[in-house]
Amino acid sequence: MPRNPQLDRNGGLRHLITLEGLPAEVITRVLDTAEPFVSVAEREVKKVPLLRGKAVFNLFFENSTRTRTTFEIAAKRLSADVINLNIGVSSTAKGETLLDTIDNLCAMNADIFVVRHSQSGAPHLIASHLDATGRSHVHVVNAGDGRHSHPTQGLLDLYTIRHYKRDFGGLVVAVVGDILHSRVARSLIHGLTTMRAAEVRVIAPRALLPSAGEYFKQYGLTQDKLALAKSDAIVMHPGPMNRGVEIDSAVADGARSVILPQVTFGIAVRMAVLSLIASP
């Protein structure tokens, strides 16, 4: 079997492009590494020196607030130098190719690229280019590409589930929404399958574009629908929430919602990914 290009020869994480095909032990290593990082936020000085001297470039070719902010916080808490590029007014808007942009940023001594792109496969293209041009010391983290993958969101969802449920083995997980177009759902499903969840139920409309009222009636999570789940079921959402369409506010703000802790865990998980790919 060919070696997973996301891993180095010792099985360590080198790039993070997708959860598909990533071994369970690597996912577990990320989740375990994130565990102590959660408490960093509670310190007076919220920093550890693991990425001191490293340069992390956030390349967001697609709008994002939550993901970009949590990656920036994660890198800064690891003591990295963080460069956020405004792609809308950058060289790519003037006709420079994606790989030309990467080459120029490598010449500025980039260590890690965090890439969000509307085109599926863009982070993989960058990682392959770096490897082919002998720059294996530069790493790529996929922050969401097209409909394909959002691996750190999948990992933080897995972390949240493990935090509240301790184990994946006996769990029945329902993933609800427009699954066909959701890179978040795809990553979570790959992760849950790898971690051997007992059952993953995918719930989605046959017609992908129903009216908002009809969608909420059939698929929106309300207190009545939540009452059909087990009494200890938790409610998660990757954000941003579409209240009154995807989820009722009484559920989103209710006692079984862990949506805000997901955001907190997301910083720790992204710290774990960045520290693992940059470790020698």
Side-chain angles (χ1 to χ4, degrees), residues 3-4 6-14 23 25-26 29 279-280:
R3 182 171 59 87
N4 189 317
Q6 299 184 103
L7 306 179
D8 61 26
R9 296 187 182 280
N10 298 317
L13 197 61
R14 186 154 151 265
E25 57 267 27
V26 173
R29 192 181 309 148
S279 62

PDB file of all heavy atoms in Angstrom, residues 3-4 6-14 23 25-26 29 279-280:
ATOM      1  N   ARG A   3       2.350   4.929   0.703  1.00  0.00           N
ATOM      2  CA  ARG A   3       2.360   5.730   1.924  1.00  0.00           C
ATOM      3  C   ARG A   3       1.415   6.920   1.786  1.00  0.00           C
ATOM      4  O   ARG A   3       1.336   7.562   0.746  1.00  0.00           O
ATOM      5  CB  ARG A   3       3.796   6.209   2.192  1.00  0.00           C
ATOM      6  CG  ARG A   3       3.962   7.025   3.460  1.00  0.00           C
ATOM      7  CD  ARG A   3       5.431   7.265   3.743  1.00  0.00           C
ATOM      8  NE  ARG A   3       6.081   7.962   2.648  1.00  0.00           N
ATOM      9  CZ  ARG A   3       6.113   9.304   2.536  1.00  0.00           C
ATOM     10  NH1 ARG A   3       5.504  10.053   3.435  1.00  0.00           N
ATOM     11  NH2 ARG A   3       6.752   9.873   1.542  1.00  0.00           N
ATOM     12  N   ASN A   4       0.687   7.218   2.851  1.00  0.00           N
ATOM     13  CA  ASN A   4      -0.198   8.377   2.854  1.00  0.00           C
ATOM     14  C   ASN A   4       0.657   9.639   2.740  1.00  0.00           C
ATOM     15  O   ASN A   4       1.535   9.877   3.567  1.00  0.00           O
ATOM     16  CB  ASN A   4      -1.005   8.394   4.157  1.00  0.00           C
ATOM     17  CG  ASN A   4      -2.097   9.438   4.166  1.00  0.00           C
ATOM     18  OD1 ASN A   4      -1.901  10.570   3.742  1.00  0.00           O
ATOM     19  ND2 ASN A   4      -3.262   9.062   4.666  1.00  0.00           N
ATOM     20  N   GLN A   6       0.165  12.533   3.489  1.00  0.00           N
ATOM     21  CA  GLN A   6       0.036  13.457   4.618  1.00  0.00           C
ATOM     22  C   GLN A   6       0.992  13.110   5.758  1.00  0.00           C
ATOM     23  O   GLN A   6       1.172  13.918   6.668  1.00  0.00           O
ATOM     24  CB  GLN A   6      -1.394  13.425   5.169  1.00  0.00           C
ATOM     25  CG  GLN A   6      -2.454  13.855   4.165  1.00  0.00           C
ATOM     26  CD  GLN A   6      -3.833  13.914   4.775  1.00  0.00           C
ATOM     27  OE1 GLN A   6      -4.348  14.970   5.087  1.00  0.00           O
ATOM     28  NE2 GLN A   6      -4.438  12.753   4.962  1.00  0.00           N
ATOM     29  N   LEU A   7       1.568  11.924   5.691  1.00  0.00           N
ATOM     30  CA  LEU A   7       2.419  11.437   6.777  1.00  0.00           C
ATOM     31  C   LEU A   7       3.871  11.386   6.353  1.00  0.00           C
ATOM     32  O   LEU A   7       4.193  11.181   5.179  1.00  0.00           O
ATOM     33  CB  LEU A   7       1.959  10.045   7.213  1.00  0.00           C
ATOM     34  CG  LEU A   7       0.480   9.896   7.593  1.00  0.00           C
ATOM     35  CD1 LEU A   7       0.190   8.457   7.970  1.00  0.00           C
ATOM     36  CD2 LEU A   7       0.115  10.841   8.729  1.00  0.00           C
ATOM     37  N   ASP A   8       4.773  11.548   7.333  1.00  0.00           N
ATOM     38  CA  ASP A   8       6.189  11.379   7.039  1.00  0.00           C
ATOM     39  C   ASP A   8       6.545   9.895   7.130  1.00  0.00           C
ATOM     40  O   ASP A   8       5.687   9.044   7.369  1.00  0.00           O
ATOM     41  CB  ASP A   8       7.051  12.232   7.978  1.00  0.00           C
ATOM     42  CG  ASP A   8       6.883  11.877   9.453  1.00  0.00           C
ATOM     43  OD1 ASP A   8       6.529  10.715   9.766  1.00  0.00           O
ATOM     44  OD2 ASP A   8       7.122  12.751  10.303  1.00  0.00           O
ATOM     45  N   ARG A   9       7.812   9.582   6.920  1.00  0.00           N
ATOM     46  CA  ARG A   9       8.228   8.174   6.882  1.00  0.00           C
ATOM     47  C   ARG A   9       8.066   7.467   8.220  1.00  0.00           C
ATOM     48  O   ARG A   9       8.042   6.248   8.292  1.00  0.00           O
ATOM     49  CB  ARG A   9       9.678   8.076   6.405  1.00  0.00           C
ATOM     50  CG  ARG A   9       9.855   8.569   4.971  1.00  0.00           C
ATOM     51  CD  ARG A   9      11.263   8.301   4.465  1.00  0.00           C
ATOM     52  NE  ARG A   9      11.429   8.817   3.115  1.00  0.00           N
ATOM     53  CZ  ARG A   9      11.010   8.202   2.017  1.00  0.00           C
ATOM     54  NH1 ARG A   9      10.398   7.032   2.128  1.00  0.00           N
ATOM     55  NH2 ARG A   9      11.196   8.733   0.833  1.00  0.00           N
ATOM     56  N   ASN A  10       7.976   8.250   9.293  1.00  0.00           N
ATOM     57  CA  ASN A  10       7.798   7.665  10.622  1.00  0.00           C
ATOM     58  C   ASN A  10       6.329   7.628  11.055  1.00  0.00           C
ATOM     59  O   ASN A  10       6.024   7.275  12.189  1.00  0.00           O
ATOM     60  CB  ASN A  10       8.609   8.457  11.649  1.00  0.00           C
ATOM     61  CG  ASN A  10      10.091   8.412  11.366  1.00  0.00           C
ATOM     62  OD1 ASN A  10      10.643   7.355  11.033  1.00  0.00           O
ATOM     63  ND2 ASN A  10      10.755   9.555  11.484  1.00  0.00           N
ATOM     64  N   GLY A  11       5.426   7.994  10.142  1.00  0.00           N
ATOM     65  CA  GLY A  11       4.004   7.988  10.471  1.00  0.00           C
ATOM     66  C   GLY A  11       3.523   9.237  11.159  1.00  0.00           C
ATOM     67  O   GLY A  11       2.379   9.296  11.631  1.00  0.00           O
ATOM     68  N   GLY A  12       4.378  10.265  11.228  1.00  0.00           N
ATOM     69  CA  GLY A  12       3.978  11.530  11.833  1.00  0.00           C
ATOM     70  C   GLY A  12       3.217  12.398  10.848  1.00  0.00           C
ATOM     71  O   GLY A  12       3.338  12.242   9.634  1.00  0.00           O
ATOM     72  N   LEU A  13       2.455  13.328  11.370  1.00  0.00           N
ATOM     73  CA  LEU A  13       1.648  14.206  10.532  1.00  0.00           C
ATOM     74  C   LEU A  13       2.540  15.259   9.885  1.00  0.00           C
ATOM     75  O   LEU A  13       3.243  16.005  10.569  1.00  0.00           O
ATOM     76  CB  LEU A  13       0.563  14.873  11.375  1.00  0.00           C
ATOM     77  CG  LEU A  13      -0.615  15.518  10.647  1.00  0.00           C
ATOM     78  CD1 LEU A  13      -1.385  14.473   9.841  1.00  0.00           C
ATOM     79  CD2 LEU A  13      -1.539  16.185  11.659  1.00  0.00           C
ATOM     80  N   ARG A  14       2.477  15.325   8.549  1.00  0.00           N
ATOM     81  CA  ARG A  14       3.310  16.256   7.787  1.00  0.00           C
ATOM     82  C   ARG A  14       2.485  17.358   7.144  1.00  0.00           C
ATOM     83  O   ARG A  14       2.850  18.527   7.147  1.00  0.00           O
ATOM     84  CB  ARG A  14       4.061  15.461   6.717  1.00  0.00           C
ATOM     85  CG  ARG A  14       5.067  16.245   5.934  1.00  0.00           C
ATOM     86  CD  ARG A  14       6.136  15.276   5.415  1.00  0.00           C
ATOM     87  NE  ARG A  14       6.686  15.777   4.191  1.00  0.00           N
ATOM     88  CZ  ARG A  14       6.265  15.428   2.974  1.00  0.00           C
ATOM     89  NH1 ARG A  14       5.288  14.566   2.853  1.00  0.00           N
ATOM     90  NH2 ARG A  14       6.817  15.935   1.906  1.00  0.00           N
ATOM     91  N   PRO A  23      -4.988   7.386   9.475  1.00  0.00           N
ATOM     92  CA  PRO A  23      -5.129   6.289  10.437  1.00  0.00           C
ATOM     93  C   PRO A  23      -5.734   6.737  11.762  1.00  0.00           C
ATOM     94  O   PRO A  23      -5.558   7.884  12.183  1.00  0.00           O
ATOM     95  CB  PRO A  23      -3.679   5.806  10.640  1.00  0.00           C
ATOM     96  CG  PRO A  23      -2.931   6.305   9.446  1.00  0.00           C
ATOM     97  CD  PRO A  23      -3.592   7.591   9.059  1.00  0.00           C
ATOM     98  N   GLU A  25      -4.832   5.995  14.678  1.00  0.00           N
ATOM     99  CA  GLU A  25      -3.820   6.374  15.675  1.00  0.00           C
ATOM    100  C   GLU A  25      -3.350   7.808  15.499  1.00  0.00           C
ATOM    101  O   GLU A  25      -2.991   8.480  16.468  1.00  0.00           O
ATOM    102  CB  GLU A  25      -2.628   5.410  15.645  1.00  0.00           C
ATOM    103  CG  GLU A  25      -1.933   5.265  14.310  1.00  0.00           C
ATOM    104  CD  GLU A  25      -2.475   4.106  13.487  1.00  0.00           C
ATOM    105  OE1 GLU A  25      -3.655   3.733  13.664  1.00  0.00           O
ATOM    106  OE2 GLU A  25      -1.697   3.578  12.664  1.00  0.00           O
ATOM    107  N   VAL A  26      -3.344   8.312  14.264  1.00  0.00           N
ATOM    108  CA  VAL A  26      -2.950   9.699  14.025  1.00  0.00           C
ATOM    109  C   VAL A  26      -4.049  10.640  14.524  1.00  0.00           C
ATOM    110  O   VAL A  26      -3.759  11.666  15.160  1.00  0.00           O
ATOM    111  CB  VAL A  26      -2.664   9.941  12.530  1.00  0.00           C
ATOM    112  CG1 VAL A  26      -2.408  11.421  12.253  1.00  0.00           C
ATOM    113  CG2 VAL A  26      -1.466   9.112  12.077  1.00  0.00           C
ATOM    114  N   ARG A  29      -3.814  10.756  18.183  1.00  0.00           N
ATOM    115  CA  ARG A  29      -2.659  11.564  18.602  1.00  0.00           C
ATOM    116  C   ARG A  29      -3.008  13.054  18.594  1.00  0.00           C
ATOM    117  O   ARG A  29      -2.631  13.797  19.502  1.00  0.00           O
ATOM    118  CB  ARG A  29      -1.472  11.297  17.683  1.00  0.00           C
ATOM    119  CG  ARG A  29      -0.134  11.865  18.188  1.00  0.00           C
ATOM    120  CD  ARG A  29       0.966  11.560  17.181  1.00  0.00           C
ATOM    121  NE  ARG A  29       0.971  10.155  16.818  1.00  0.00           N
ATOM    122  CZ  ARG A  29       1.333   9.690  15.632  1.00  0.00           C
ATOM    123  NH1 ARG A  29       1.714  10.524  14.669  1.00  0.00           N
ATOM    124  NH2 ARG A  29       1.328   8.397  15.381  1.00  0.00           N
ATOM    125  N   SER A 279       6.614  19.701  14.271  1.00  0.00           N
ATOM    126  CA  SER A 279       7.604  19.088  15.163  1.00  0.00           C
ATOM    127  C   SER A 279       8.627  18.312  14.333  1.00  0.00           C
ATOM    128  O   SER A 279       8.292  17.728  13.313  1.00  0.00           O
ATOM    129  CB  SER A 279       6.917  18.148  16.154  1.00  0.00           C
ATOM    130  OG  SER A 279       6.266  17.098  15.480  1.00  0.00           O
ATOM    131  N   PRO A 280       9.887  18.326  14.762  1.00  0.00           N
ATOM    132  CA  PRO A 280      10.932  17.646  13.978  1.00  0.00           C
ATOM    133  C   PRO A 280      10.766  16.129  13.987  1.00  0.00           C
ATOM    134  O   PRO A 280      10.185  15.573  14.855  1.00  0.00           O
ATOM    135  CB  PRO A 280      12.219  18.066  14.698  1.00  0.00           C
ATOM    136  CG  PRO A 280      11.812  18.532  16.064  1.00  0.00           C
ATOM    137  CD  PRO A 280      10.398  18.988  15.950  1.00  0.00           C
TER     138      PRO A 280
END
